[in-house]
C-alpha cells in the first residue's frame, strides 16, 4: 500500500486534499466506551453481522481485506482509528488514493486502480 495518508492525494483538478482534510479530534462522551469508537471494532461487528456466513468465504475475505486496508490507511493518516474522526473528506481522499496509487505491482511499485476496482472497494458488495 502506498504511504499516502488521508488527504494527501492530489485530484485531477490539482486541489491538495491535505489542506482541506479534517484533523479535528473530539473527546468521547463519558458514557461511551473507547472501543465503541474504534474502526477496527466496527469492522469486526459489520463482518460478523452482515458478511460472515452470509457471503461466500472468498467474498468475505475480500471485503475484510478491503476494510482492513481502509482502517490502516486512516489510522496512518489520522494517527488513530476513531470512527468519530472519519468524515466524507477522508473517504473522498481514500477514493482518490485508490484511483491514483491504490494497486501494488509485484515489484512493489504503486499503480492506479481501474475505476471499477475503486468502486468495488467503496461499495464492499
Amino acid at each position: 500500500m502506498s504511504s499516502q495518508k488521508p488527504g494527501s492525494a492530489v485530484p485531477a483538478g490539482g486541489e491538495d486534499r491535505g489542506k482541506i482534510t479534517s484533523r479535528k479530534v473530539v473527546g468521547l462522551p463519558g458514557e461511551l466506551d473507547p472501543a465503541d469508537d474504534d474502526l477496527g471494532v466496527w469492522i469486526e461487528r459489520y463482518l460478523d453481522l452482515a458478511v460472515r456466513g452470509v457471503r461466500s468465504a472468498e467474498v468475505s475475505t475480500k471485503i475484510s481485506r478491503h476494510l482492513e486496508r481502509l482502517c490502516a490507511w486512516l489510522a496512518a493518516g489520522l494517527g488513530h482509528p476513531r470512527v468519530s474522526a472519519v468524515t466524507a473528506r477522508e473517504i473522498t481522499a481514500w477514493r482518490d488514493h485508490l484511483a491514483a496509487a491504490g494497486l501494488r505491482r509485484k515489484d512493489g511499485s504503486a499503480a492506479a486502480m481501474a475505476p471499477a476496482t475503486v468502486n468495488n472497494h467503496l461499495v464492499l458488495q
Side-chain angles (χ1 to χ4, degrees):
M1 181 175 292
S2 174
S3 63
Q4 279 188 319
K5 296 179 180 178
S8 64
V10 179
E15 179 181 306
D16 181 3
R17 294 226 181 263
K19 295 179 183 173
I20 62 172
T21 299
S22 171
R23 299 284 188 241
K24 183 178 180 182
V25 177
V26 179
L28 294 174
E31 68 277 358
L32 186 62
D33 182 346
D36 291 333
D37 194 37
D38 184 270
L39 187 56
V41 172
W42 280 59
I43 288 171
E44 284 304 312
R45 287 179 187 161
Y46 169 72
L47 293 171
D48 287 341
L49 295 171
V51 179
R52 294 182 184 125
V54 177
R55 306 301 299 261
S56 71
E58 182 180 296
V59 171
S60 295
T61 300
K62 182 174 93 173
I63 291 171
S64 177
R65 186 174 56 245
H66 290 181
L67 289 170
E68 288 169 7
R69 286 177 185 159
L70 171 63
C71 185
W73 187 79
L74 285 168
L78 297 174
H80 55 79
R82 290 186 42 198
V83 173
S84 61
V86 178
T87 66
R89 288 179 181 158
E90 277 76 33
I91 300 305
T92 300
W94 170 244
R95 182 198 62 210
D96 294 344
H97 160 73
L98 292 174
L103 186 65
R104 282 276 168 201
R105 295 183 177 132
K106 289 183 181 182
D107 67 0
S109 63
M113 283 186 175
T117 305
V118 171
N119 286 340
N120 187 286
H121 274 69
L122 295 175
V123 298
L124 301 175
Q125 302 184 7

